[in-house]
Amino acid sequence: MEELMPGVFLFRGYVNEEDIFNTIVELKAETPFRHMVTPGGKKINVAGFSMGQCGWYSDRRGYRYEKIDPLSNKPWPSIPDYLTEITGQAAAKAGFEDFAPDSCFINMYKPGVRLTAHIDQDEQDFSQPIVSISVGVSAIFQIFGEKRGGKAFNIRLNGGDLLIFGGPARRLYHGVKKLEPQSHPLTGDIRYNLTFRKAL
Ligand code: SIN
Ligand code: FE2
């Protein structure tokens, strides 16, 4: 584990990508990746869906956590135990003792897709960190400051890496640079990212 800046911890090659890829393939048969829209009506280029007691959601009505998937009208699939364990253990190593995620958002990036700078701020308790796992081709994760612009701190995230941002970094702007065309034995040209949160 490396602390890259206060509250940002990187665990290189910490997870087995194949296990997580298999979980995603299983889940996406039931709960498809979808493009949501922002409250202003803009299409979000990163497709996603959730696991857990609640899932992050966005549409014309705003940003929020939903217990029922508005697309299927069913609860989100649950977070597999092995992922709750891995993320809880990593968080404890970084000093977040009682991290128990109730939500995980799974993002899918195709080549050319980027995630614009944002703050994760729809959760109840900002003393809880965000734990992020990457699968597939690599991407550049960018951490800005308390404002959207300015010089970014760049972190290349490879498949299998786990990143935690919490404490003083929990409410910093962050995003992902446009995904470069690359090839990965499991995922082809795709990158998946799973962000585990304690939302409620
Ligand atoms: C996010 O900030 O929600 C996702 C980050 C990532 O894809 O690495
Ligand atoms: Fe985020």
Side-chain angles (χ1 to χ4, degrees), residues 47 58 73 76 79 81 104 111 118 144 151 155 165 193-194 199:
S58 174
N73 273 319
W76 302 101
I79 300 176
D81 290 343
C104 170
H118 65 278
F144 302 90
K151 198 170 180 293
I155 306 168
F165 52 104
N193 176 264
L194 293 78

Side-chain angles (χ1 to χ4, degrees), residues 105 107 109 115 118 120 132 134 141 157 165 174-176 191-193 195 197:
F105 194 77
N107 285 306
Y109 297 79
L115 182 66
H118 65 278
D120 292 35
S132 142
S134 296
F141 181 74
L157 294 179
F165 52 104
H174 59 274
V176 177
R191 171 176 187 258
Y192 297 100
N193 176 264
T195 44
R197 301 102 187 260

Side-chain angles (χ1 to χ4, degrees), residues 62-76:
Y63 299 123
R64 61 195 182 273
Y65 278 90
E66 288 278 7
K67 290 192 171 170
I68 300 292
D69 174 3
L71 194 64
S72 67
N73 273 319
K74 289 191 299 196
W76 302 101

Side-chain angles (χ1 to χ4, degrees), residues 1-15 90-91 93-96 130-134 138-141 143 153-166 169 191 193:
M1 179 184 86
E2 250 181 291
E3 188 169 8
L4 301 179
M5 58 191 269
V8 179
F9 302 86
L10 177 60
F11 299 66
R12 286 265 181 229
Y14 192 73
V15 303
K93 287 181 188 164
F96 302 98
I130 305 269
V131 178
S132 142
I133 289 177
S134 296
S138 73
I140 302 196
F141 181 74
I143 301 181
F153 184 84
N154 289 341
I155 306 168
R156 182 170 285 277
L157 294 179
N158 302 315
D161 291 350
L162 183 150
L163 182 81
I164 298 183
F165 52 104
R191 171 176 187 258
N193 176 264

Side-chain angles (χ1 to χ4, degrees), residues 2-102:
E2 250 181 291
E3 188 169 8
L4 301 179
M5 58 191 269
V8 179
F9 302 86
L10 177 60
F11 299 66
R12 286 265 181 229
Y14 192 73
V15 303
N16 182 328
E17 280 188 275
E18 198 159 352
D19 291 347
I20 300 172
F21 179 67
N22 290 337
T23 299
I24 297 170
V25 169
E26 248 169 61
L27 294 177
K28 75 177 185 185
E30 287 266 326
T31 313
F33 282 98
R34 75 289 301 268
H35 291 279
M36 294 186 281
V37 293
T38 65
K42 273 198 197 150
K43 178 183 145 189
I44 299 177
N45 286 323
V46 182
F49 68 86
S50 286
M51 310 187 274
Q53 275 171 52
C54 60
W56 185 81
Y57 213 79
S58 174
D59 60 18
R60 288 279 188 180
R61 288 176 40 221
Y63 299 123
R64 61 195 182 273
Y65 278 90
E66 288 278 7
K67 290 192 171 170
I68 300 292
D69 174 3
L71 194 64
S72 67
N73 273 319
K74 289 191 299 196
W76 302 101
S78 37
I79 300 176
D81 290 343
Y82 80 95
L83 286 172
T84 303
E85 272 165 36
I86 292 172
T87 52
Q89 278 164 11
K93 287 181 188 164
F96 302 98
E97 288 303 335
D98 53 3
F99 180 66
D102 56 12

Side-chain angles (χ1 to χ4, degrees), residues 121-149:
Q121 55 186 353
D122 303 309
E123 300 75 30
Q124 301 286 330
D125 179 1
F126 298 120
S127 72
Q128 294 286 336
I130 305 269
V131 178
S132 142
I133 289 177
S134 296
V135 174
V137 302
S138 73
I140 302 196
F141 181 74
Q142 303 195 290
I143 301 181
F144 302 90
E146 280 156 26
K147 298 215 172 84
R148 196 180 290 272

Side-chain angles (χ1 to χ4, degrees), residues 179-192:
L179 198 73
E180 293 149 20
Q182 301 157 78
S183 167
H184 184 281
L186 278 177
T187 67
D189 57 5
I190 303 287
R191 171 176 187 258
Y192 297 100

